[in-house]
Amino acid sequence: MTTISAGPGAGAEPAGVRHVKRPTPLRESVYEALTEMIIDGTLERGRHLVEVELAGILGVSRQPVREALQRLNNEGWVDLRPGFGAMVHVPAEDEVDQLLAARAALESESARLAARHASKDDVAKLRELCKVGTTYQEAGDIDGTVRTNGELHTLITQMSGNRFLVDFAAQVDRRVRWYYTPVAPVRGAASWREHNRLVKAISEGDEDKAAQIMREHTEHTRKAYHDLQATSAPAESPEADASPRRRRRTTS
């Protein structure tokens, strides 16, 4: 449980005084924890969120949970229904299309610029991430696969040398991870083959090819998401048990 430090004294302070960063406020820690639980599927889409149960899971009082749920509602992670309570948001198809369209635009340009600016060390790091991600994928480790996928895409964006692209990409990263997590087992080895092709284009300085592969890569993810939604079972009813269920590895 996060401890909140005492605030600064009420008296005047000497010129030039700067306070060091204090521990993260409890409400922020609760917000971050709930966001990650939604992203990794611990709190499944459509699940009824009960404040007292979430408070028990996180070892906090209900107040910071209530504040976090309000913020999550404002950001589109949670839906607050009058007379019923909070539900994990179930994304509409057009939400996914809009997000991945934005991602394709950002990351295809990042890939193009990465091909222009990549150093040998950058390429070596990308290749290593491909190896690690493939190992996780073959082991059926969803968490490792999703995390490494995110690290690879983030590194490519950073390699672009465009700080605005980095900032914009960071804003959609969490939502992309949320959509990508259920797709990771479906995309499987194909995703990492595409990553390897992308890294090869970047290493060769082929800007147009790198951008094209990235656009196709994002489109394959979008299609896989919609195919999965079309074949998956309907979302759980609001009355479903609010206790989280963790699914860390795929079955063999």
Side-chain angles (χ1 to χ4, degrees):
M1 179 174 176
T2 304
T3 301
I4 303 176
S5 64
E13 297 172 342
V17 168
R18 296 289 185 272
H19 288 286
V20 297
K21 186 176 181 180
R22 295 179 293 170
T24 305
L26 182 57
R27 62 180 178 274
E28 184 69 20
S29 296
V30 171
Y31 163 80
E32 290 291 338
L34 291 179
T35 303
E36 287 300 318
M37 290 167 74
I38 290 172
I39 290 171
D40 69 17
T42 302
L43 297 174
E44 299 174 353
R45 302 171 189 203
R47 183 165 293 278
H48 184 201
L49 302 175
V50 181
E51 287 181 8
V52 66
E53 294 185 8
L54 294 176
I57 292 167
L58 298 177
V60 299
S61 67
R62 293 177 63 178
Q63 182 59 35
V65 172
R66 184 176 301 115
E67 293 174 356
L69 290 177
Q70 183 61 59
R71 180 175 172 184
L72 290 167
N73 174 68
N74 293 339
E75 296 178 359
W77 295 101
V78 165
D79 297 324
L80 296 180
R81 300 182 180 179
F84 183 75
M87 302 279 295
V88 176
H89 179 64
V90 179
E93 289 195 7
D94 63 338
E95 291 180 52
V96 181
D97 287 337
Q98 290 174 25
L99 179 75
L100 293 182
R103 183 197 187 204
L106 292 170
E107 294 202 333
S108 61
E109 179 63 8
S110 293
R112 185 181 70 80
L113 293 173
R116 179 184 300 178
H117 301 301
S119 66
K120 290 183 178 180
D121 286 344
D122 290 332
V123 172
K125 291 176 183 177
L126 290 175
R127 286 174 173 158
E128 180 60 26
L129 285 171
C130 283
K131 290 179 182 178
V132 172
T134 299
T135 300
Y136 279 133
Q137 181 269 317
E138 291 175 346
D141 188 330
I142 299 175
D143 283 355
T145 300
V146 174
R147 181 176 63 252
T148 309
N149 177 79
E151 290 173 355
L152 185 141
H153 281 264
T154 296
L155 178 55
I156 290 173
T157 304
Q158 292 171 345
M159 288 166 58
S160 73
N162 186 316
R163 65 185 179 88
F164 293 101
L165 281 175
V166 173
D167 289 344
F168 295 152
Q171 291 178 36
V172 301
D173 173 67
R174 276 184 158 179
R175 193 76 58 163
V176 168
R177 283 198 292 126
W178 188 33
Y179 295 157
Y180 183 71
T181 296
V183 174
V186 179
R187 291 282 279 125
S191 179
W192 291 99
R193 286 195 297 270
E194 292 162 15
H195 285 146
N196 278 297
R197 288 179 56 227
L198 175 60
V199 173
K200 184 174 185 294
I202 291 173
S203 70
E204 294 172 348
D206 193 331
E207 299 179 28
D208 292 340
K209 188 173 183 179
Q212 177 186 350
I213 293 172
M214 183 65 90
R215 282 193 297 270
E216 293 172 349
H217 178 68
T218 303
E219 173 58 21
H220 292 157
T221 298
R222 186 195 69 81
K223 186 176 184 302
Y225 181 91
H226 286 307
D227 288 347
L228 182 64
Q229 294 302 108
T231 58
S232 63
E236 297 182 36
S237 65
E239 290 76 16
D241 176 21
S243 301
R245 298 199 299 256
R246 301 192 70 83
R247 296 177 298 181
R248 287 299 189 188
R249 296 179 181 270
T250 57
T251 55
S252 57

